[in-house]
């Protein structure tokens, strides 16, 4: 009989958001008339910007005409989109990139999950705790960890981020090889100033480590002095891979388009003591396993970079950030400890006394029919915390906060 990949058995239960969806379905079955407001998964609710819709329509028409029809595209993405991204998102920050250093993909979740394939199994991985579960789970699946012992996977370095350390991870005590960082952070909604991020780049350079930097929420940064890209830090192009997405800034969660930057100067070691560019490995991986993002979708993403597209995504971000303010201020007004939500669409709160993350999840769902995400689902240091997202509609967000303020027994 064929053998399974036993590493999968190390994972406890289902993927966090699948488990939450299961609980909501059960609750709806038991309470069919309940008006449930979902502020759990970070999924957008506003329609795609008009400029994007226009770009998509034009591309659909091109596909209907034999003269402009396209079959397989380049696995790495079309140059028309790559060039716009480099010019708009990177040159504006003083970061220069070559077109073959950027790979268009169907999502940052896929890329941050797949990237570990190009690294050896014996690397030591560091993650912040709490963390977006994909980083950790994909390393467990690949066999880069031991078993789960008292809430932590053996062989993984957990970098605690909590209110006590102002959600700023400390450099690891032991030597690590691969470091996952996400800022603005999911789930805590907090950010890292340049001088803190520089410590990580310096650490990576000194220890031959690679930083996998998830910048999915950079468009939500409102305050000056917070890096939008890790490449704003000197030396990062030698040690960091960066992930970005159109999901959160332009509403592409169901449309699927993202990109990953792998500078040709990022090298990792070979067994025989040599060094090898990760760009080549990622290119080999993508050309083998991926056939590229649909032409139509890439034209939609390209439209984000038109002047109208830029204006429209700004309006979208402002809309969600208004929700973030409503949530932050509403929760604060009833005396809860609240973090994040200033440069990110996530609000991280301390669960009220007497409640752990999951019991607070149940309480919110049962008493006021609101869905959030239990902090413990993001790692052991998330216990005692809870996440709400700003991605709901303005009406449902206001209604949710009103219910929490007036109907929740605290
Ligand atoms: C979340 O809720 O953390 C996000 O939806 C994660 C994701 O984008 O996959």
């Amino acid at each position: 009989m064929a053998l399974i990949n036993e590493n999968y058995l190390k994972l406890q239960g289902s993927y966090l958001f699948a488990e939450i969806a299961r609980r909501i379905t059960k609750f709806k079955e038991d309470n069919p008339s309940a008006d449930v407001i979902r502020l759990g998964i970070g999924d957008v609710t506003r329609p795609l910007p008009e400029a994007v819709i226009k770009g998509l329509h034009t591309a659909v028409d091109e596909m209907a005409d034999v003269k402009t029809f396209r079959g397989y595209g380049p696995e790495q993405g079309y140059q028309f989109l790559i060039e716009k991204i480099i010019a708009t998102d990177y040159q504006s920050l003083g970061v220069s990139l070559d077109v073959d250093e950027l790979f268009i993909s169907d999502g940052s979740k896929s890329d941050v999950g797949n990237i570990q394939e190009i690294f050896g199994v014996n690397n030591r991985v560091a993650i912040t705790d709490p963390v977006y579960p994909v980083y950790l789970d994909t390393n467990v699946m690949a066999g880069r960890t031991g078993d789960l012992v008292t809430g932590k996977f053996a062989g993984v370095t957990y970098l605690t981020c909590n209110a006590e350390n102002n959600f700023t991870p400390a450099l690891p005590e032991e030597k690590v090889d691969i470091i996952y960082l996400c800022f603005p952070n999911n789930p805590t909604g907090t950010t890292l100033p340049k001088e803190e991020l520089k410590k990580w780049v310096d650490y990576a350079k000194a220890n031959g480590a690679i930083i996998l930097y998830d910048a999915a929420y950079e468009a939500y940064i409102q305050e000056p002095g917070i890096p939008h890209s890790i490449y704003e830090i000197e030396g990062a192009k030698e040690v960091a891979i960066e992930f970005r997405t159109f999901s959160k800034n332009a509403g592409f969660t169901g449309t699927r388009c993202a990109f990953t930057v792998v500078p040709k100067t990022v090298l990792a070691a070979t067994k025989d003591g040599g060094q090898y560019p990760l760009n080549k490995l990622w290119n080999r991986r993508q050309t083998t396993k991926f056939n590229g993002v649909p032409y139509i979708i890439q034209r939609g993403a390209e439209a984000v970079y038109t002047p109208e597209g830029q204006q429209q995504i700004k309006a979208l971000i402002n809309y969600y950030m208004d929700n973030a303010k409503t949530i932050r201020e509403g929760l604060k007004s009833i005396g809860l400890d609240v973090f994040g939500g200033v440069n990110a669409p996530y609000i991280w709160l301390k669960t009220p006394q007497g409640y752990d993350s999951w019991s607070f999840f149940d309480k919110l769902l049962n008493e006021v029919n609101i869905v959030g995400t239990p902090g413990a689902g993001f790692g052991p240091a998330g216990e005692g915390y809870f996440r709400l997202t700003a991605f709901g509609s303005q009406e449902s967000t206001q209604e949710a906060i009103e219910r929490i303020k007036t109907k929740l027994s605290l």
Side-chain angles (χ1 to χ4, degrees):
M1 191 179 265
L3 297 170
I4 64 160
N5 176 352
E6 298 269 336
N7 294 313
Y8 277 63
L9 302 182
K10 294 177 192 164
L11 294 164
Q12 297 269 302
S14 6
Y15 179 60
L16 174 62
F17 295 106
E19 173 59 20
I20 290 173
R22 191 190 66 73
R23 290 189 186 215
I24 302 171
T25 306
K26 167 92 180 57
F27 180 81
K28 290 278 282 181
E29 273 165 21
D30 297 344
N31 305 274
S33 61
D35 173 20
V36 176
I37 301 180
R38 296 168 192 242
L39 302 180
I41 189 160
D43 192 6
V44 295
T45 53
R46 305 304 296 159
L48 291 171
E50 262 176 58
V52 170
I53 295 293
K54 207 166 134 203
L56 293 171
H57 278 165
T58 308
V60 169
D61 289 341
E62 284 183 61
M63 295 299 265
D65 185 335
V66 72
K67 294 194 285 299
T68 45
F69 168 79
R70 312 229 181 181
Y72 291 128
E75 294 92 341
Q76 302 87 346
Y78 285 101
Q79 294 237 343
F80 62 76
L81 177 55
I82 296 177
E83 281 167 3
K84 297 262 165 48
I85 294 170
I86 292 176
T88 316
D89 291 346
Y90 288 99
Q91 277 169 9
S92 58
L93 300 173
V95 175
S96 62
L97 291 171
D98 293 340
V99 284
D100 56 356
E101 295 185 301
L102 205 143
F103 297 79
I104 308 293
S105 78
D106 65 346
S108 280
K109 181 176 179 180
S110 329
D111 284 357
V112 294
N114 293 331
I115 196 80
Q116 48 75 32
E117 281 182 28
I118 65 170
F119 293 96
V121 79
N122 291 325
N123 284 299
R124 187 167 181 102
V125 171
I127 51 151
T128 52
D129 175 20
V131 77
Y132 178 44
V134 177
Y135 314 149
L136 181 59
D137 288 5
T138 53
N139 277 289
V140 175
M141 290 169 175
R144 215 167 273 115
T145 75
D147 287 328
L148 189 65
V149 186
T150 55
K152 291 189 177 180
F153 284 97
V156 174
T157 297
Y158 287 71
L159 309 161
T160 300
C161 294
N162 55 24
E164 285 68 46
N165 65 10
N166 202 21
F167 301 95
T168 305
L171 293 174
E173 280 159 22
E174 66 272 8
K175 189 176 165 322
V176 301
D177 308 299
I178 300 172
I179 302 156
Y180 288 84
L181 295 178
C182 171
F183 289 100
N185 187 253
N186 177 13
T188 66
T190 56
T191 52
L192 213 55
K194 269 193 182 144
E195 57 278 15
E196 281 298 324
L197 191 52
K198 183 177 181 314
K199 288 183 191 166
W200 287 96
V201 171
D202 292 346
Y203 174 92
K205 286 180 78 170
N207 291 276
I210 301 292
I211 299 173
L212 302 177
Y213 193 73
D214 186 348
Y217 302 95
E218 66 76 31
Y220 287 83
I221 295 172
Q222 311 285 313
E223 295 179 324
I226 299 167
H228 287 249
S229 163
I230 193 165
Y231 304 121
E232 290 179 60
I233 311 296
E234 206 192 320
K237 271 173 80 176
E238 288 154 50
V239 293
I241 291 175
E242 178 164 289
F243 305 89
R244 291 230 199 155
T245 177
F246 294 98
S247 284
K248 314 290 166 149
N249 66 343
F252 273 56
T253 54
T255 307
R256 311 308 302 154
C257 196
F259 58 92
T260 291
V261 181
V262 190
K264 286 175 279 194
T265 37
V266 180
L267 307 177
T270 58
K271 254 201 221 143
D272 62 8
Q275 293 192 338
Y276 203 86
L278 292 178
N279 177 287
K280 267 192 166 181
L281 291 186
W282 186 242
N283 189 50
R284 188 68 172 87
R285 192 264 171 215
Q286 290 297 80
T287 48
T288 304
K289 296 194 178 184
F290 184 57
N291 257 337
V293 174
Y295 172 73
I296 297 166
I297 304 297
Q298 293 191 60
R299 281 294 187 197
E302 182 196 25
V304 164
Y305 295 101
T306 58
E308 313 84 70
Q310 290 286 289
Q311 252 175 22
Q312 290 160 11
I313 63 166
K314 208 161 170 241
L316 261 185
I317 290 159
N318 289 343
Y319 178 96
Y320 292 131
M321 288 311 287
D322 280 350
N323 285 346
K325 193 169 170 213
T326 302
I327 300 174
R328 266 176 68 83
E329 291 182 355
L331 298 180
K332 275 188 171 174
S333 74
I334 53 168
L336 290 172
D337 281 334
V338 183
F339 311 93
V342 174
N343 295 295
Y346 293 122
I347 292 88
W348 189 241
L349 56 129
K350 269 206 170 133
T351 52
Q353 217 176 2
Y355 293 93
D356 65 15
S357 306
W358 278 107
S359 61
F360 189 62
F361 173 90
D362 290 333
K363 182 181 172 66
L364 264 194
L365 185 57
N366 288 306
E367 278 186 27
V368 287
N369 306 155
I370 293 165
V371 180
T373 309
F378 296 103
E383 184 51 277
Y385 291 91
F386 198 79
R387 193 191 77 176
L388 291 173
T389 94
F391 286 124
S393 71
Q394 220 149 58
E395 298 72 34
S396 63
T397 303
Q398 279 162 3
E399 162 73 14
I401 293 308
E402 204 46 38
R403 282 191 209 168
I404 291 175
K405 280 163 72 171
T406 56
K407 299 200 181 118
L408 190 71
S409 63
L410 286 174

